[in-house]
Amino acid sequence: MTTLFISHGAPTLAMEPGKTGEMLHQLGLSLPRPRAILVVSAHWDTPEPRVSFVPQPDTLHDFSGFPKAMYDMHYPAPGCPELAGKVVALLTDAQFNIQRDPKRGLDHGAWVPLMMMYPDADIPVTQLSIQGHRDPASHYRMGQALASLQDSGVMLLCSGAITHNLRHLFEVQRTTSSLAYVTEFANWVGDKILDKNDEALLNYRTQSINGVLAHPEEDHILPLFVALGAARGPAVRYQPEHTYGFLAMDAYAWAA
């Protein structure tokens, strides 16, 4: 089965899919169909790892100020407590203090890309949180612990952003061409992933000249390290577009 890292962009991707939405749609058609999906989203950040045991997760509209149509959207995929139990077992064996969550639904880092990939919402899905106060190495170890899930037909869908400096949301026009640091950092990440240079990626804040500028906070890049830890085989890079001048919408697929 496949491990993916995708840049989920703004919630309005659900209404304005553009080139990114088309890319995600084609991935859903071309990749092996998963038995279940584990989403690691930048929008669920907890002190310790938590995994959702909800049999029927709600669609969380975890944003404000968007058109009413956004709040009318729902992604009624079934949950997967069975998969959640396996996540607990694997992370416990790896010495993580994993916690069970009886209520957590699907945030927009999960349901928006899933709506593009699997619009029928017929694949069981559950979520695992990130820990924004912990470093990339901790998330890489988490991915390593979860890698065997792929052997049973589980897709790891790690959802964040290659670049995510929200300061520039208020400083550039929506139609602005990509800022120079966005292109440079996205290509730096791409080169290191394709070279399998995980050590440089884990130390991106010192190894890349634009690492801190691209991610003043680390939450949106941490899912990438879960994917890197779990990944098997060579990566394929997708570069559909840059949006708002500061969001590189790159995605990566590792197919075992």
Side-chain angles (χ1 to χ4, degrees), residues 209-226:
I209 61 173
N210 285 311
V212 176
L213 182 59
H215 291 278
E217 306 293 335
E218 291 200 277
D219 53 356
H220 271 70
I221 199 171
L222 291 176
L224 173 64
F225 297 105
V226 180

Side-chain angles (χ1 to χ4, degrees), residues 7 48 103 141-142 148 151 155 186 209 251:
S7 298
E48 299 291 339
K103 298 180 179 180
R141 285 200 307 110
M142 189 184 297
S148 64
D151 298 333
M155 173 184 285
I209 61 173

Side-chain angles (χ1 to χ4, degrees), residues 74-96:
H74 294 276
Y75 190 76
C80 197
E82 176 192 0
L83 171 57
K86 291 181 179 179
V87 171
V88 167
L90 290 170
L91 291 184
T92 298
D93 287 347
Q95 307 302 309
F96 285 91

Side-chain angles (χ1 to χ4, degrees), residues 45-90:
D45 191 344
T46 59
E48 299 291 339
R50 293 180 71 87
V51 62
S52 174
F53 274 77
V54 180
Q56 189 65 53
D58 292 332
T59 302
L60 302 180
H61 300 95
D62 52 333
F63 41 74
S64 61
F66 288 90
K68 181 180 181 297
M70 287 290 302
Y71 303 93
D72 292 335
M73 292 182 176
H74 294 276
Y75 190 76
C80 197
E82 176 192 0
L83 171 57
K86 291 181 179 179
V87 171
V88 167
L90 290 170

Side-chain angles (χ1 to χ4, degrees), residues 16 23 62 104:
E16 302 171 350
M23 175 205 70
D62 52 333
R104 179 72 181 189

